[in-house]
Amino acid sequence: MMTLRSPVLTFIIAILSCCIFSCFQPGVKKNDLDSLVSALDSQRVMLPNGWSLSPAGKKIPLGDLPLNLVVSAAAKLMAVTNNGQSRQTITLIDPVNETILDETEINKSWYGLVFNQDGTKLFVSGGNDNMIVIFDTSRRTLVKSDSIILGNPWPVRISPTGLAIDDVSNKPARLLFQKMDSSGTIVREPGSATGVMVNLAIMGKRI
């Protein structure tokens, strides 16, 4: 009796066949394969679920629980927000040379992270402190230059998370933020010390 293989099984068999065939090609030496396996094993990272990852490129050490990574518009700077249970930090990275430029501790943070258009400022969520912290990155370092207070700290339920900025046009820059159950828009005049919330839209019902 003839049976039909599933497309997935057929695909797996084909991949395994190609791998086995390539290993026995005259141009592939066993020592080369051993060196490749050894290199991958040295970079292997074990995950809590028992799976492992072997990064293909260079590793850059980060902080506890990196939740978000953003790249400046010119691709000259990269920032990471580390939001774990230990020290919460912001890391500034040179993506071209793959090196850490600076790192600074922040009282509270959570996911929100965005560069302005020219990459001279980095806006960071202040988590349950209910603020947006602004860092000057014009000298490729993290220098806290300002903050926007959205309300009193927790238990006031604001906790800004996602951030986006519109500062391309000639109009005053608009900083959009996502909070627990709504979103808001802040208009910030150049040089002003505070932002003015001009819109608050309910996104859904709190559960």
Side-chain angles (χ1 to χ4, degrees):
M1 182 174 66
M2 183 180 295
T3 58
L4 296 176
R5 292 176 179 163
S6 71
V8 175
L9 180 59
T10 303
F11 177 75
I12 292 174
I13 292 174
I15 292 296
L16 290 175
S17 299
C18 290
C19 292
I20 294 172
F21 179 76
S22 63
C23 289
F24 288 98
Q25 291 301 298
V28 179
K29 298 179 180 179
K30 185 177 183 302
N31 289 341
D32 294 337
L33 292 175
D34 290 342
S35 298
L36 176 61
V37 171
S38 177
L40 290 175
D41 282 341
S42 67
Q43 299 289 320
R44 194 179 304 276
V45 176
M46 184 66 68
L47 302 178
N49 62 3
W51 296 0
S52 62
L53 296 175
S54 298
K58 181 179 178 181
K59 292 191 299 184
I60 299 177
L62 298 174
D64 184 12
L65 188 63
L67 274 192
N68 197 4
L69 180 153
V70 295
V71 181
S72 65
K76 294 182 178 180
L77 293 173
M78 187 163 63
V80 180
T81 177
N82 306 290
N83 307 145
Q85 294 293 327
S86 59
R87 290 176 63 247
Q88 299 203 1
T89 58
I90 306 299
T91 306
L92 191 66
I93 298 171
D94 179 344
V96 177
N97 298 309
E98 299 180 345
T99 56
I100 293 178
L101 297 171
D102 198 7
E103 184 174 85
T104 187
E105 190 167 351
I106 185 170
N107 290 334
K108 293 183 182 65
S109 57
W110 190 255
Y111 189 78
L113 200 62
V114 64
F115 283 104
N116 66 344
Q117 181 63 24
D118 62 10
T120 59
K121 293 187 183 300
L122 178 67
F123 295 79
V124 179
S125 164
N128 285 343
D129 279 346
N130 293 336
M131 66 171 61
I132 296 169
V133 184
I134 305 171
F135 291 94
D136 185 331
T137 55
S138 59
R139 297 186 178 181
R140 296 168 66 83
T141 57
L142 291 165
V143 179
K144 184 178 177 181
S145 60
D146 205 349
S147 59
I148 302 173
I149 307 299
L150 302 176
N152 292 327
W154 185 268
V156 176
R157 297 172 67 90
I158 300 177
S159 303
T161 52
L163 296 177
I165 189 169
D166 174 16
D167 64 342
V168 179
S169 65
N170 294 325
K171 298 178 181 179
R174 289 174 178 264
L175 178 67
L176 287 76
F177 68 94
Q178 176 68 41
K179 59 191 283 286
M180 276 191 154
D181 57 1
S182 60
S183 66
T185 304
I186 296 171
V187 173
R188 188 175 175 82
E189 296 286 353
S192 67
T194 60
V196 179
M197 191 183 304
V198 297
N199 182 47
L200 185 66
I202 302 299
M203 302 299 290
K205 188 177 295 185
R206 185 184 299 151
I207 298 176

